[in-house]
Amino acid sequence: MKRDPAELQKEILALKEQTGATILAHNYVDGAIQDIADFCGDSLELSVKAKKYQADLIVFCGVRFMAETAKILSPDSRVILPNSTAGCPMADMAQVDEVRKYRKEHPDEVLVAYVNSTAAVKAQVDWCCTSGNVERVLNAIPADAKIMFLPDRNLGANMTAKLGRPMSLWSGCCPVHDRITLESIREARAAHPDAEVLVHPECRPMIVEAADAALSTGGMLRHVSESLFREFIIGTELGIIHRMMRENPDKVFHPLLPQVVCPDMKKITLENVLAALQGKCEEIVLDPEIMDAARKPIERMLALK
Ligand code: 13P
Ligand code: SF4
């Protein structure tokens, strides 16, 4: 029997208090979970929080690579992923053996891994980056260095277009953002001519070009609250609209396409957040050597101002 969400939220908050757990949530998870989280944010903001809190117990409402990043930055915390099947298909498009092989064959290249990658892959690379700091990271790498950007070919190509910096690109992508079409932008603009079109830089370059801005989820949230526009077309996972509406009750948000839903983010439910607090879900456990190696490119990225 489906339980009442408000009752579940109450039970979660009581247990959170009792256990002293910190609940971190990505901007894409279900709104009812965002509402009971201690902090909601994008990948960069969540990694900064995980490092800052060093909480005994972190319930991470997001996908596996995000919970792994929290564990790497807060190794003494118990980090719980409420649904162990919540992964990121793009992260799985770069397998550690292939990355190791690439590194061996191209010893002169600087490897930059988007945070949407496994801990084992991060352990093989020079830099990590998120969509919130990718420009800063790329600008910190000497201009004459050859770069392999992985696993997101779209984010990489968008950065090449923006910064004029050629890079070798892995062939991965986010299946959720990659399906956004030009047609959908044309139709949404026709239906809402006064709206600003915002997309995520995981979209294909032609989509980014057709939009008004391409921003990380945290960047989009800041942008909509500061923008003089009153209406927005949102080209990213729909879960973000919950927070946009809550923080900007006087503005209007239209999803670019109703199908832009990440099935993995939606695997996190109030029921399994409660189960996580009851000690019934998977704790993230990583090989200490992998954690130490993966921490280097992440810390290097976080050290950039
Ligand atoms: P952000 O870092 O912008 O929140 O993006 C994470 C992500 O998985 C986008 O699909
Ligand atoms: Fe991965 Fe795409 Fe889902 Fe983000 S939206 S977690 S990149 S599958």
Side-chain angles (χ1 to χ4, degrees):
M1 199 184 65
K2 194 113 182 85
R3 290 196 51 195
D4 173 37
E7 245 180 55
L8 273 167
Q9 283 177 318
K10 237 163 112 191
E11 210 174 317
I12 288 170
L13 289 173
L15 204 52
K16 183 168 96 67
E17 185 77 20
Q18 213 178 303
T19 55
T22 297
I23 301 183
L24 298 180
H26 187 266
N27 293 322
Y28 288 162
V29 297
D30 190 52
I33 295 171
Q34 296 186 28
D35 290 345
I36 45 94
D38 292 285
F39 181 78
C40 294
D42 67 13
S43 309
L44 177 60
E45 294 161 343
L46 289 169
S47 39
V48 170
K49 285 290 173 200
K51 185 174 165 173
K52 186 173 157 221
Y53 285 153
Q54 298 287 329
D56 288 341
L57 177 62
I58 296 175
V59 175
F60 200 105
C61 304
V63 294
R64 180 172 294 275
F65 78 82
M66 296 178 176
E68 283 185 354
T69 307
K71 178 69 187 175
I72 292 165
L73 288 170
S74 191
D76 297 329
S77 304
R78 274 185 304 135
V79 178
I80 312 292
L81 184 61
N83 184 328
S84 54
T85 68
C88 168
M90 164 152 62
D92 296 335
M93 289 177 196
Q95 291 295 315
V96 66
D97 295 350
E98 299 168 317
V99 177
R100 219 182 270 122
K101 184 164 174 272
Y102 187 91
R103 169 126 256 182
K104 228 183 221 157
E105 289 168 359
H106 304 82
D108 56 326
E109 293 192 18
V110 175
L111 267 58
V112 180
Y114 187 29
V115 70
N116 297 41
S117 53
T118 63
V121 162
K122 289 187 182 84
Q124 297 296 321
V125 304
D126 303 296
W127 286 91
C128 182
C129 72
T130 73
S131 58
N133 65 11
V134 57
E135 283 185 53
R136 221 178 306 156
V137 169
L138 293 176
N139 285 331
I141 300 171
D144 58 351
K146 284 197 214 151
I147 298 176
M148 157 48 85
F149 190 88
L150 64 115
D152 190 357
R153 61 168 184 251
N154 290 337
L155 180 61
N158 286 321
M159 286 304 116
T160 292
K162 189 164 186 184
L163 306 176
R165 175 145 205 180
M167 300 190 284
S168 299
L169 304 176
W170 205 260
S171 67
C173 70
C174 163
V176 180
H177 288 91
D178 198 61
R179 71 165 69 113
I180 293 180
T181 58
L182 272 183
E183 193 54 25
S184 65
I185 297 195
R186 268 188 230 116
E187 283 171 12
R189 280 202 195 273
H192 311 290
D194 296 328
E196 197 178 22
V197 178
L198 305 180
V199 298
H200 196 277
E202 289 174 11
C203 294
R204 290 174 289 159
M206 64 178 171
I207 304 298
V208 167
E209 217 178 287
D212 296 313
L215 297 158
S216 72
T217 61
M220 266 191 217
L221 281 152
R222 279 187 294 282
H223 180 89
V224 297
S225 66
E226 287 159 9
S227 172
L228 295 177
F229 279 80
R230 318 296 310 158
E231 231 182 299
F232 302 87
I233 294 163
I234 302 301
T236 194
E237 217 284 342
L238 302 185
I240 197 174
I241 294 181
H242 176 80
R243 223 183 122 187
M244 287 177 168
M245 286 169 48
R246 193 183 60 198
E247 292 174 6
N248 305 274
D250 54 332
K251 297 189 178 181
V252 180
F253 302 95
H254 309 284
L256 175 59
L257 266 181
Q259 303 89 306
V260 188
V261 171
C262 174
D264 284 273
M265 287 284 181
K266 294 302 181 269
K267 285 178 183 169
I268 308 293
T269 62
L270 283 173
E271 281 82 357
N272 55 39
V273 175
L274 181 63
L277 288 164
Q278 290 167 335
K280 295 178 186 165
C281 297
E282 181 192 345
E283 178 178 345
I284 299 287
V285 178
L286 295 168
D287 178 318
E289 266 179 44
I290 290 182
M291 278 209 284
D292 288 346
R295 196 174 299 114
K296 288 183 189 141
I298 304 174
E299 291 282 13
R300 205 172 180 192
M301 147 186 112
L302 293 176
L304 289 178
K305 291 285 166 267

